[in-house]
Amino acid sequence: MSLSVRTLGGPRPLPLVGNLPELTRGNRLHRVLTDWADTYGPTYRFRMGRTDVVGTADPAHLDVALRRRPDDFRRARRMAEVLEELAPHGVFTAEGKQWRRLRHVATQSLNAAYLRQYFATITRVTERLLGRWEAAAAAGARVDVLDSMLRFTLDVTAGLAMGVDLNALEDDGTGLPSRMATLFPAIADRLFAPFPYWRYAKLPRDRRLAETLDEFAAVVREHFALARDRVNLGRPPSNFLEALVRPLENEPELTDEEVVSNMLTMLVAGEDTTSSLIAWSLHFVAENPDVQERLRAEADEVLGSRRTPDDPPMVGRLKYAAAVVQEAQRMCPVAPYLIVEPTRDLTLTGQDRRELFLPAGQQIFLLNTYGALRDVERFPDPYAFRPQRWLDAEPTAETFPFAPFGGGPRFCPGRNLALLEAGVVVSVLAREMELVPDRSSGPVGEKAAFTVFPTNLFLRPRSRETRPARG
Ligand code: HEM
């Protein structure tokens, strides 16, 4: 006899609003979802308005829901609809045949060969970032870490995806890059709005959002026309935009709308997440001077007289920096839940062998990083920031999931790029300057929107007195 959603335990809902007040209070949705799993067990029910929703941290359920896509599970329709209004037919929200076609192009253009080819973009933007932080150190100024990293990742992603240098790092606050930065919070606001008011009346911020999207679309169209010319001259595609000109043998060309949407998807998916990951990593480095010392020693040894790494294999030798990034991601995962729904009626078997019946369209929040602070077998003393655990790690069976990049066929195609960027920035900044926390505006916080990002995170970089000799 299988359980139904109604019979699952969970928090008591209020009339009409259900558990929404508790869920959205204080922008700590991910913490509330985790607390409910602690209280009611790994699979529970809550209510958003009048709709029953399932939350689960059961590794057996996660495995099935992530792996059996796009056939048996899809991204939750409510979330997909909001994103589709802004970027119709992007790979993140596409399903079925269209998703397969777009996914192929996305993975191709983020594979190791492309990243090697485009590594120069990452080093160029890293040099620019270093210049900004050195200027702040010389002026004794503090740096808004998330803002700086948003600009860094926007420049890297636009360079890799379109071959365009947006130069968001040096934008004075009036150009397209700065307006792009307002796009992401606006998308998040819509995702969690109790009512889709913008379909009936546009507020000034909705008009600004539409203008920014139009401006961005014009930039993409201009560069796509150039990319089409280059590919039609017989040149092999060398970035995502050029790859979109001829997506697959025997497949129809992509429409301009699909091209614009996929560029936007890449920027949103690549910028918002990676900037938070790097910002959290720098936060933990600044809080732990011993970690900073080890990062420096490693960078001195691997980079020698260079300011930035030469290529991805050299970044691969920065193993302690990679461990710092992984540990920061464990302490503060930036994408701690995924929202899916079954495409047909299904019965799933949990880790405890109990069966759960899920009707088609049932919204499910998958707590894909629940194990980060709860799987004490894998991560003993889970609240301690200890990068070394990733270097000593013995493979251990997973009690609870820790899948910060998702899993199965829709696994994040940008994982390697994100880790590459994070490893470079953490290593290079920690080596070139002393990173000191600045708490003059209060403690560092976090905010859950579509992803989870740090708030109030400032560092005061100081020039390092002793540097290795440059060749
Ligand atoms: C710390 C950085 C990042 C994190 C934590 C992250 C996390 C995720 C997660 C959890 C998913 C959903 C996976 C699933 O449904 O199983 C995803 C999907 C995706 N990510 Fe990332 N991501 C990051 C960086 C990037 C970057 C740098 C790019 C590209 C420039 C990117 C592009 C995408 C795309 C296109 C998808 C949709 C894949 C699909 O639906 O097939 N991500 N990411």
Side-chain angles (χ1 to χ4, degrees):
M1 170 78 182
S2 53
L3 292 169
S4 72
V5 172
R6 284 269 155 147
T7 58
L8 289 171
R12 187 191 292 269
L14 295 171
L16 296 176
V17 287
N19 302 102
L20 270 176
E22 198 178 342
L23 198 60
T24 51
R25 194 178 309 134
N27 297 307
R28 48 186 306 279
L29 182 130
H30 60 305
R31 301 276 170 210
V32 177
L33 292 169
T34 303
D35 291 348
W36 283 342
D38 293 344
T39 311
Y40 303 105
T43 304
Y44 57 88
R45 172 194 50 77
F46 59 102
R47 212 172 276 171
M48 286 171 69
R50 294 179 184 189
T51 312
D52 278 324
V53 180
V54 172
T56 183
D58 185 322
H61 291 338
L62 262 98
D63 176 55
V64 171
L66 293 177
R67 203 164 26 81
R68 282 171 33 187
R69 293 180 292 173
D71 299 330
D72 289 346
F73 286 87
R74 52 162 291 154
R75 296 217 187 274
R77 231 171 266 266
R78 189 183 176 278
M79 173 189 71
E81 276 167 14
V82 171
L83 295 173
E84 284 270 307
E85 282 174 352
L86 302 167
H89 321 300
V91 57
F92 190 82
T93 49
E95 295 292 338
K97 204 167 161 230
Q98 185 183 40
W99 169 75
R100 285 199 172 85
R101 191 160 73 112
L102 296 171
R103 170 82 192 186
H104 177 82
V105 184
T107 36
Q108 285 275 306
S109 47
L110 287 164
N111 72 16
Y114 271 125
L115 291 187
R116 249 196 319 280
Q117 193 175 333
Y118 274 84
F119 192 69
T121 302
I122 299 180
T123 45
R124 177 169 43 80
V125 183
T126 306
E127 281 288 351
R128 199 181 276 162
L129 178 79
L130 257 179
R132 302 289 293 181
W133 282 58
E134 280 168 346
R142 65 180 194 168
V143 175
D144 179 336
V145 182
L146 185 64
D147 177 74
S148 182
M149 293 310 142
L150 278 165
R151 290 165 185 274
F152 169 81
T153 50
L154 183 56
D155 279 350
V156 168
T157 318
L160 285 165
M162 297 194 279
V164 175
D165 185 7
L166 285 181
N167 199 359
L169 270 168
E170 288 170 351
D171 183 68
D172 62 1
T174 56
L176 177 63
S178 298
R179 285 196 290 286
M180 289 290 295
T182 63
L183 197 75
F184 309 112
I187 294 173
D189 283 351
R190 283 193 178 184
L191 279 174
F192 290 97
F195 168 73
Y197 70 85
W198 60 91
R199 289 180 195 154
Y200 307 94
K202 300 255 184 293
L203 300 177
R205 65 175 179 180
D206 299 299
R207 281 195 286 276
R208 277 197 301 276
L209 178 63
E211 280 162 21
T212 305
L213 286 173
D214 285 348
E215 203 181 339
F216 174 74
V219 173
V220 176
R221 283 203 188 93
E222 181 192 327
H223 286 277
F224 189 54
L226 298 171
R228 196 182 268 141
D229 290 347
R230 281 195 297 271
V231 173
N232 288 340
L233 283 174
R235 278 185 36 179
S238 62
N239 57 37
F240 187 46
L241 198 55
E242 289 180 4
L244 289 178
V245 174
R246 295 244 176 86
L248 270 185
E249 291 289 317
N250 309 322
E251 288 273 1
E253 282 195 9
L254 269 66
T255 62
D256 276 16
E257 195 184 41
E258 283 178 315
V259 171
V260 170
S261 291
N262 281 286
M263 279 298 125
L264 193 61
T265 303
M266 262 346 215
L267 288 188
V268 175
E271 186 209 347
D272 211 22
T273 47
T274 314
S275 54
S276 294
L277 172 61
I278 306 178
W280 282 123
S281 304
L282 294 174
H283 162 70
F284 286 110
V285 171
E287 295 286 336
N288 294 278
D290 54 320
V291 169
Q292 197 164 161
E293 260 326 302
R294 261 193 84 176
L295 279 171
R296 242 175 231 164
E298 179 183 76
D300 284 348
E301 192 189 321
V302 174
L303 303 184
S305 59
R306 299 165 190 80
R307 254 164 87 87
T308 54
D310 285 346
D311 48 28
M314 192 176 270
V315 183
R317 285 167 48 212
L318 296 167
K319 292 200 185 318
Y320 190 69
V324 167
V325 171
Q326 270 183 301
E327 184 69 343
Q329 170 142 274
R330 186 186 65 79
M331 299 285 284
C332 299
V334 301
Y337 55 87
L338 293 167
I339 319 173
V340 299
E341 61 183 53
T343 54
R344 59 186 177 90
D345 292 356
L346 285 171
T347 300
L348 303 189
T349 308
Q351 208 173 29
D352 60 4
R353 311 306 311 159
R354 286 205 298 179
E355 294 193 328
L356 172 65
F357 173 76
L358 297 169
Q362 170 63 56
Q363 246 190 91
I364 310 168
F365 277 59
L366 302 173
L367 309 190
N368 54 309
T369 59
Y370 182 77
L373 297 173
R374 298 292 184 276
D375 191 340
V376 288
E377 295 287 314
R378 251 178 107 193
F379 307 120
D381 197 3
Y383 287 93
F385 182 77
R386 220 183 269 154
Q388 187 63 32
R389 70 170 90 235
W390 294 97
L391 302 173
D392 300 338
E394 299 281 332
T396 318
E398 153 177 306
T399 327
F400 289 113
F402 179 62
F405 292 98
R410 299 196 80 144
F411 177 79
C412 173
R415 176 187 178 274
N416 291 348
L417 170 60
L419 296 180
L420 196 65
E421 287 178 73
V424 171
V425 171
V426 165
S427 185
V428 164
L429 283 184
R431 182 200 201 192
E432 294 290 332
M433 53 201 66
E434 197 186 334
L435 303 173
V436 183
D438 178 299
R439 301 189 190 93
S440 52
S441 308
V444 175
E446 59 176 358
K447 183 172 173 178
F450 188 33
T451 56
V452 180
F453 52 88
T455 55
N456 219 10
L457 173 49
F458 295 94
L459 293 182
R460 208 168 274 276
R462 289 203 196 124
S463 306
R464 220 183 126 191
E465 276 131 38
T466 46
R467 287 157 196 265
R470 304 268 178 234

